[in-house]
Amino acid sequence: MILLDPEMPNRLGLPANEITLYEAATLESVGFAKDQLLRLYGGKIEVLTPDDIFLPELYLLPGESALVNSWLPSHLEGQPLVNGSAVTPLLPLQERMRELFSSVELSRSCTLRVVQTGGGMAINVTLMLPLKGQRDLYPISRSFPIKEQNLIDQDLPVIMLWPNIPDMSWKSFYIFCEDSSTGLTVDGFSDYELNTGREAQENVKYFTCQRFPDLIKLIERSQVCGLIPVNPPPPPGNASAAWRVGIDFGTSFTNFFINDGSGPARKPLETRVIPLMLAQKETQLNLLYKFFIPETLLPKDSNPPTSTALNTHGWQEVRGKVPELYHQARVQWPSTNTLALRGAGVHTGFKWRQPNYQRPFLKELALLISSNAATGGAAEVNWSVSYPSAFSPNEARNYRRLWGDLCQDLTTLTGLRHQLLEDGGEGGLQTEAVAFASYFGNYLARQMVHTACLDVGGGTTDISIWQENALLHQVSIPFAGRNICTSILQSKPSFIRFLFAPGITGDITDDDAKLRQDPNFNSWLDNCLRYASDELLRDRMPIHRAEQDKQLLAFVSLMAVSFGGIYHYLGLVLKALAREGRLQRQAPVPVYLGGNGARFINWLDESGAFSTGCDADTLMEELQRMSSGFPDSRQGPADTTLSNAFKDETACGLISKGVNLTGDFDPRKDPMITGEELAINGKVFGPLDRIDFPDEAKTDEDKDDKPTSVESYELGSLTELRRFVSNYDDALKASRINSLLPIRTLISLDKLWDEVEIQARAICLEKLNQEISDLEPEPGFVIGLRALINTLARQWAERF
């Protein structure tokens, strides 16, 4: 690389004929001309002149500190002004300089100084270059007059960089920016890949590259305006060689715990995204939440867990296509905008439907976790992943395959080694029920001798029963927080406004029908509850309960019926296990209750806080005793211990070690207990029977004899559900509980059963024509319980 500068004689103090450029060529012999030097030696050398280094013009941004996360302002001596207002210069270097210098090298050799000239204010830009054969660095400089016409007088664009970590191993970096054909924007280099997004009047683009983008090229109307030199990212730590991450992918929220060598902990997720320009704050927040990654995740220092939500703003969905990360889909992070989760293009509930959205959601989350691991000095990330046993066999296989593919992608993109740990569960996955129990048994060191764990999530409740530290039985039922609370509230917008303080729910519609059709309502309300539950339970709820508000009392009583149904089914499971001879002690079990949906049990108490011995605890214990029907059911405790770390339990349990809890779930060996008479394809299962049928035909002969799809699915006489309704009212009376209403006061029992049977039949019809391998199993009693709660909820909404 030959430097050819006409100022060399003055700067070196030598005549031009004594300055040798290459071989026999001197500065004088080539006539100070680049073309002449290239004609002589063009195949051997490259030639660099001041015009190859500097742009012809210096461009300016409005404001004193228009650039952030850049060393340029600190290298500027003096304050440039245009019409008395402070401005910030861009670095007026040609893009070729990126091939020769890193931003760090330029920061050591470049200075900018404001000077006064006869024509006004100017900026001298100087580079100190090393020359072969010269001991001192060679200064090459250019003076740029400050021109008003070179001031880019407009709102500064949003320009973001992710991740802000060194590129020693990491191989995937993103530049996100506003796109404009007339305004200032980023332009890529030849090794960048470009993708764009557009929605209405918002246009954005994404550049990806494999090395840290330390020099950002800006253009306006296709004219190069200069470079932003980016500060180098902080060096990684050396705290741990490997991270172990437990990830709980939930219906409403997704959580993860990390063990970096110091034990399991929920670590706030740092996005490591940085701005490069001081854009308008509101515009930047809006674009980042819609199209990229916000700088800070909300609630601050309490994320995870994060909403299981994805947005596809700017992308037209193609049936069967998995959207690509960022330019087509990205996580919809919680925000202070109460309506953000209810807009068009936002997707929720894809744990159970639209599985094509699982991959970009989990990939982004895993990449962010990996960027935190890389910053901490980790060389590998080991994943422990949970899944609900309510997944059909095909869903479980697909989810396992998804994580296997993700680990391969992550290894390529991050430079870290990623693997799915195979030490728990089948194929490297652990059921949510077993992971949840590990939290209590291992992390909290609670006894698991004769115990049940209830993990009440958003969409499923995972039940596991433990005996002598060994898993005796587990089941995942599709009845949880959304059935207990949020789906009921969806039918009554006026009651939502009654519950919460103004401003929490935003502009919620009075159109009940419209609200019922909102596919993202549950996720939106889950986030409202996340921000407002403490204030609701601490301040508002006790006042409303003291005022004997009839609508609230009926709603809370309806929630109690939902929880009561889960405990009744728990008793039936114990009864069935005893009949099989597997339960060593025929007595009700103490219960560890947790999960995101378990927080609703606090609503049942007039104080707004569940506690051992409260009315709700007494009621649930009594219902379990009554349904199990054990002769010595009064012997031993059967109270409920409520978790103090809702939604943390499963993620933490996945990576917790302690007592030797044994047993992994295999649905082929531990089918669910129906709890109610159920007939599938003509095969009848009694209330205490297991729903046991092959998920696929093994031979050609089997295929002829056994159907592979669901041809009939019917409930029997609802005997157990009727017994539950009777037990519930009797338990309230026997326990002298007046804070909750009996079912007979919520609805006329004469009208109840016809409607429940219709609702149950509708649920059963949804299962027809499914492939048996795709069928998400559901106990017969839970089908009846869902039908009962749907009926009571409709009656409540119409009554008030």
Side-chain angles (χ1 to χ4, degrees):
M1 177 68 68
I2 307 302
L3 179 67
L4 194 158
D5 180 15
E7 293 295 322
M8 277 183 169
N10 295 329
R11 296 190 184 280
L12 296 176
L14 295 171
N17 63 346
E18 294 183 15
I19 299 175
T20 303
L21 299 176
Y22 186 75
E23 293 186 354
T26 65
L27 185 61
E28 182 182 63
S29 68
V30 299
F32 294 79
K34 174 180 177 180
D35 291 345
Q36 177 65 18
L37 187 59
L38 287 174
R39 277 194 295 270
L40 293 172
Y41 304 105
K44 299 180 180 181
I45 64 172
E46 292 183 63
V47 179
L48 198 67
T49 69
D51 287 343
D52 297 319
I53 295 175
F54 297 108
L55 290 174
E57 297 283 344
L58 175 79
Y59 289 88
L60 305 154
L61 303 175
E64 181 179 351
S65 303
L67 299 179
V68 289
N69 293 300
S70 171
W71 52 258
L72 192 149
S74 64
H75 283 55
L76 177 63
E77 299 177 23
Q79 178 59 64
L81 304 173
V82 171
N83 295 328
S85 297
V87 292
T88 299
L90 293 173
L91 190 60
L93 299 183
Q94 298 279 8
E95 62 181 274
R96 187 185 181 189
M97 298 303 290
R98 175 176 177 264
E99 302 170 10
L100 305 178
F101 299 98
S102 69
S103 175
V104 171
E105 290 168 333
L106 286 175
S107 71
R108 297 173 185 149
S109 61
C110 181
T111 58
L112 298 90
R113 186 162 58 93
V114 178
V115 296
Q116 292 292 337
T117 67
M121 188 176 284
I123 295 180
N124 284 345
V125 181
T126 302
L127 281 179
M128 303 299 293
L129 303 179
L131 295 184
K132 185 178 180 180
Q134 295 292 316
R135 183 179 60 184
D136 297 328
L137 295 175
Y138 179 83
I140 188 166
S141 62
R142 176 165 288 181
S143 181
F144 294 90
I146 294 177
K147 301 177 181 178
E148 183 179 358
Q149 62 265 34
N150 287 347
L151 173 63
I152 304 172
D153 192 13
Q154 56 188 251
D155 290 337
L156 297 176
V158 174
I159 303 175
M160 312 297 293
L161 186 157
W162 180 86
N164 186 34
I165 60 177
D167 57 8
M168 292 181 292
S169 298
W170 199 274
K171 301 300 180 187
S172 182
F173 294 88
Y174 285 81
I175 302 167
F176 169 80
C177 63
E178 289 182 85
D179 191 11
S180 172
S181 60
T182 59
L184 189 66
T185 187
V186 175
D187 189 29
F189 294 103
S190 60
D191 57 334
Y192 284 10
E193 180 180 340
L194 171 64
N195 288 288
T196 60
R198 178 180 181 181
E199 184 170 88
Q201 301 302 311
E202 295 172 321
N203 294 275
V204 296
K205 53 187 176 182
Y206 309 80
F207 292 101
T208 55
C209 53
Q210 294 186 354
R211 53 179 275 197
F212 183 80
D214 60 345
L215 293 170
I216 309 296
K217 179 173 62 171
L218 298 183
I219 60 172
E220 184 188 36
R221 300 178 185 271
S222 301
Q223 173 68 46
V224 176
C225 298
L227 302 176
I228 300 177
V230 183
N231 289 335
N238 54 2
S240 172
W243 274 23
R244 181 164 180 167
V245 182
I247 189 160
D248 174 24
F249 175 43
T251 304
S252 301
F253 294 98
T254 295
N255 200 7
F256 61 86
F257 260 58
I258 292 169
N259 187 347
D260 61 3
S262 59
R266 177 161 63 85
K267 296 182 180 293
L269 189 60
E270 296 182 23
T271 64
R272 313 218 172 262
V273 62
I274 58 170
L276 300 181
M277 197 162 284
L278 198 64
Q280 288 188 349
K281 186 175 181 180
E282 185 176 346
T283 300
Q284 181 166 294
L285 280 173
N286 177 60
L287 288 178
L288 293 182
Y289 274 107
K290 284 188 69 174
F291 296 105
F292 200 49
I293 315 165
E295 290 182 77
T296 303
L297 300 182
L298 300 177
K300 191 174 181 181
D301 298 327
S302 297
N303 196 317
T306 192
S307 302
T308 304
L310 189 84
N311 83 60
T312 54
H313 296 307
W315 180 65
Q316 185 64 44
E317 182 175 359
V318 178
R319 185 175 178 84
K321 178 176 173 23
V322 176
E324 295 293 329
L325 185 59
Y326 292 126
H327 66 279
Q328 294 179 341
R330 71 293 300 176
V331 173
Q332 178 65 56
W333 298 101
S335 74
T336 54
N337 180 0
T338 58
L339 298 180
L341 277 171
R342 294 178 59 202
V346 177
H347 308 273
T348 59
F350 47 84
K351 179 177 180 178
W352 299 96
R353 51 184 171 82
Q354 295 180 301
N356 54 312
Y357 294 136
Q358 293 177 6
R359 184 181 182 87
F361 175 82
L362 292 170
K363 183 177 180 179
E364 178 174 348
L365 197 59
L367 279 171
L368 290 175
I369 295 170
S370 299
S371 70
N372 283 241
T375 303
E380 65 181 70
V381 180
N382 299 312
W383 299 91
S384 296
V385 181
S386 67
Y387 77 103
S389 52
F391 265 1
S392 71
N394 277 350
E395 286 172 327
R397 281 191 289 268
N398 290 337
Y399 191 53
R400 169 65 180 83
R401 188 181 304 115
L402 167 62
W403 270 101
D405 293 343
L406 273 180
C407 285
Q408 292 183 20
D409 285 352
L410 292 169
T411 297
T412 301
L413 294 173
T414 68
L416 310 179
R417 294 187 300 275
H418 291 262
Q419 63 178 339
L420 188 61
L421 290 181
E422 302 282 348
D423 61 354
E426 184 178 7
L429 300 184
Q430 185 59 273
T431 63
E432 292 170 356
V434 172
F436 179 89
S438 174
Y439 169 78
F440 284 95
N442 288 326
Y443 189 72
L444 297 183
R446 301 293 179 87
Q447 66 84 15
M448 304 295 285
V449 177
H450 182 70
T451 310
C453 293
L454 302 183
D455 178 9
V456 185
T460 60
T461 294
D462 293 284
I463 303 171
S464 63
I465 298 173
W466 296 81
Q467 183 173 264
E468 304 297 331
N469 289 342
L471 178 64
L472 185 61
H473 177 70
Q474 81 154 51
V475 61
S476 183
I477 60 175
F479 186 89
R482 295 188 171 181
N483 307 89
I484 293 168
C485 179
T486 53
S487 293
I488 301 173
L489 289 177
Q490 191 169 8
S491 64
K492 202 70 176 173
S494 61
F495 187 64
I496 299 174
R497 286 194 296 271
F498 165 79
L499 283 177
F500 296 104
I504 295 295
T505 58
D507 185 21
I508 188 169
T509 178
D510 282 320
D511 187 338
D512 292 7
K514 182 178 180 181
L515 200 65
R516 281 193 293 271
Q517 297 300 314
D518 187 340
N520 299 318
F521 172 84
N522 285 314
S523 291
W524 166 78
L525 185 59
D526 285 335
N527 274 276
C528 289
L529 290 167
R530 182 177 186 179
Y531 285 98
S533 280
D534 290 344
E535 190 264 350
L536 173 66
L537 293 172
R538 182 185 64 247
D539 301 330
R540 299 174 67 84
M541 189 77 79
I543 294 174
H544 294 319
R545 292 294 294 271
E547 294 171 347
Q548 295 292 306
D549 184 89
K550 293 182 179 180
Q551 185 180 19
L552 176 61
L553 179 57
F555 176 74
V556 169
S557 299
L558 179 53
M559 296 173 72
V561 176
S562 296
F563 276 107
I566 296 173
Y567 276 76
H568 183 92
Y569 178 69
L570 171 62
L572 291 175
V573 171
L574 294 174
K575 189 175 182 179
L577 293 173
R579 189 184 72 164
E580 295 173 354
R582 300 180 62 202
L583 195 65
Q584 295 178 4
R585 181 182 173 192
Q586 296 192 16
V589 292
V591 174
Y592 296 130
L593 177 65
N596 190 51
R599 70 190 190 276
F600 292 127
I601 205 167
N602 286 311
W603 293 39
L604 308 190
D605 195 85
E606 291 180 316
S607 69
F610 177 92
S611 60
T612 301
C614 69
D615 285 352
D617 184 31
T618 301
L619 175 61
M620 300 307 145
E621 180 174 346
E622 186 65 20
L623 288 170
Q624 186 199 157
R625 293 185 188 279
M626 295 171 77
S627 65
S628 64
F630 295 139
D632 60 345
S633 63
R634 295 291 168 188
Q635 188 176 20
D639 54 352
T640 293
T641 299
L642 185 62
S643 170
N644 62 356
F646 297 127
K647 193 54 184 172
D648 284 353
E649 305 95 349
T650 298
C652 180
L654 281 166
I655 57 173
S656 294
K657 301 295 182 182
V659 299
N660 186 26
L661 294 181
T662 60
D664 292 319
F665 174 69
D666 184 343
R668 296 165 295 186
K669 298 177 182 178
D670 192 17
M672 62 174 52
I673 294 160
T674 178
E676 190 72 87
E677 184 177 293
L678 180 66
I680 304 175
N681 288 350
K683 185 175 181 178
V684 179
F685 304 95
L688 300 184
D689 290 344
R690 293 175 180 267
I691 305 175
D692 185 12
F693 53 88
D695 63 346
E696 56 185 22
K698 304 299 182 186
T699 67
D700 291 338
E701 184 179 350
D702 289 334
K703 293 178 182 178
D704 294 334
D705 296 340
K706 298 175 182 178
T708 59
S709 63
V710 180
E711 298 174 356
S712 65
Y713 203 104
E714 298 176 343
L715 275 184
S717 58
L718 298 180
T719 301
E720 274 303 324
L721 189 66
R722 291 174 182 269
R723 189 160 76 93
F724 163 64
V725 170
S726 176
N727 285 354
Y728 184 89
D729 285 3
D730 290 346
L732 287 177
K733 183 177 180 181
S735 302
R736 299 180 180 180
I737 295 174
N738 299 316
S739 59
L740 299 168
L741 299 175
I743 295 175
R744 65 177 180 274
T745 65
L746 299 176
I747 192 172
S748 170
L749 297 183
D750 294 335
K751 301 179 180 179
L752 174 65
W753 295 109
D754 286 346
E755 179 66 22
V756 169
E757 288 177 357
I758 293 173
Q759 289 276 346
R761 181 60 184 154
I763 295 171
C764 289
L765 288 174
E766 295 173 358
K767 302 179 182 295
L768 295 183
N769 301 318
Q770 293 187 40
E771 291 295 317
I772 290 177
S773 58
D774 289 329
L775 181 66
E776 294 170 0
E778 181 173 7
F781 177 80
V782 174
I783 293 175
L785 180 61
R786 284 209 283 154
L788 173 65
I789 298 304
N790 290 346
T791 301
L792 295 178
R794 185 184 58 78
Q795 176 69 20
W796 169 78
E798 293 175 354
R799 181 178 176 185
F800 297 100

